[in-house]
Amino acid sequence: MRFLGNIEAKIDTKGRAFFPATFRKILSANGEETLVVRKDVFQSCLILYPESIWIEQIDLLRSRLNRWDAQQQQLFRQFISDAEQVSLDSNGRFLISKRHIQATNLKQSIRFLGMGDNIEIWNNEEYDKQMLPQEKFSKGLQDIMSSGNDKKGEVQALYGETTNMEKE
């Protein structure tokens, strides 16, 4: 299942958004009906997972954590507690909870971004702020793709010590 696309949309006054038709077709073709939404761990956006992908992610996370370690159990609890199941109504809409709207500062204009096995939902203004300037994007991609996997240090030097790759 691969989602690809950058689609602008709107949220109505009740917090409902139309799920893009191109993404609905992909869900349907893969027999998926339920989505799981949660705030991204690193960015101010929401992540929509098809239920099967969500289950894979939870199983992977659980396999790396020790149930008998209190701190690891708290991390798992916090990760899970932010997630909500959503379904599309007969018109192809789904409801975004008020807490998720507030946590990500979503406004009426939003953007769906297909990210392979999941979909990000951004406030349009925040999305634009997160994008790298073209020169940094080109240089970073070139550095990563031209010389194998051992470029983490060089990429961090290019963007600073943070992994957020913020604009200057």
Side-chain angles (χ1 to χ4, degrees):
M1 191 171 342
R2 295 286 176 226
F3 298 101
L4 179 64
N6 185 332
I7 302 162
E8 291 188 27
K10 302 267 187 217
I11 298 177
D12 69 15
T13 56
K14 295 180 181 178
R16 297 175 300 190
F18 281 101
F19 193 64
T22 55
F23 296 159
R24 280 198 310 265
K25 289 177 187 173
I26 294 167
L27 281 180
S28 179
N30 286 278
E32 297 275 353
E33 293 181 11
T34 305
L35 297 163
V36 175
V37 63
R38 79 171 314 280
K39 185 186 176 302
D40 186 59
V41 175
F42 304 106
Q43 302 290 332
S44 185
C45 69
L46 296 177
I47 308 291
L48 277 172
Y49 297 92
E51 188 174 40
S52 64
I53 301 297
W54 173 255
I55 291 168
E56 288 175 15
Q57 292 295 309
I58 293 305
D59 289 347
L60 177 63
L61 180 59
R62 176 48 85 194
S63 74
R64 293 182 181 190
L65 298 174
N66 180 344
R67 289 178 189 260
W68 299 105
D69 181 301
Q71 185 177 13
Q72 290 184 19
Q73 188 65 7
Q74 181 58 34
L75 287 171
F76 187 74
R77 182 179 300 114
Q78 191 165 336
F79 186 79
I80 295 293
S81 70
D82 190 46
E84 295 177 5
Q85 284 188 325
V86 295
S87 297
L88 303 180
D89 67 15
S90 60
N91 294 318
R93 298 174 302 188
F94 67 101
L95 181 65
I96 302 172
S97 70
K98 288 182 182 180
R99 74 182 175 104
H100 280 140
I101 288 172
Q102 291 171 350
T104 55
N105 197 29
L106 292 181
K107 304 293 183 203
Q108 187 180 14
S109 293
I110 61 172
R111 182 181 309 256
F112 289 89
L113 189 63
M115 295 291 292
D117 66 355
N118 65 63
I119 301 160
E120 294 180 349
I121 303 174
W122 286 87
N123 167 325
N124 264 340
E125 293 170 11
E126 287 297 316
Y127 173 80
D128 291 338
K129 290 177 189 175
Q130 292 296 320
M131 294 296 100
L132 296 170
Q134 185 61 41
E135 187 175 304
K136 274 191 174 185
F137 172 74
S138 298
K139 176 77 171 116
L141 199 55
Q142 177 183 352
D143 289 349
I144 290 167
M145 297 305 288
S146 66
S147 53
N149 294 332
D150 196 27
K151 298 302 256 177
K152 183 178 178 184
E154 288 180 36
V155 172
Q156 283 180 337
L158 177 65
Y159 300 109
E161 291 303 311
T162 66
T163 58
N164 195 9
M165 293 199 273
E166 296 173 353
K167 290 196 263 186
E168 293 181 332

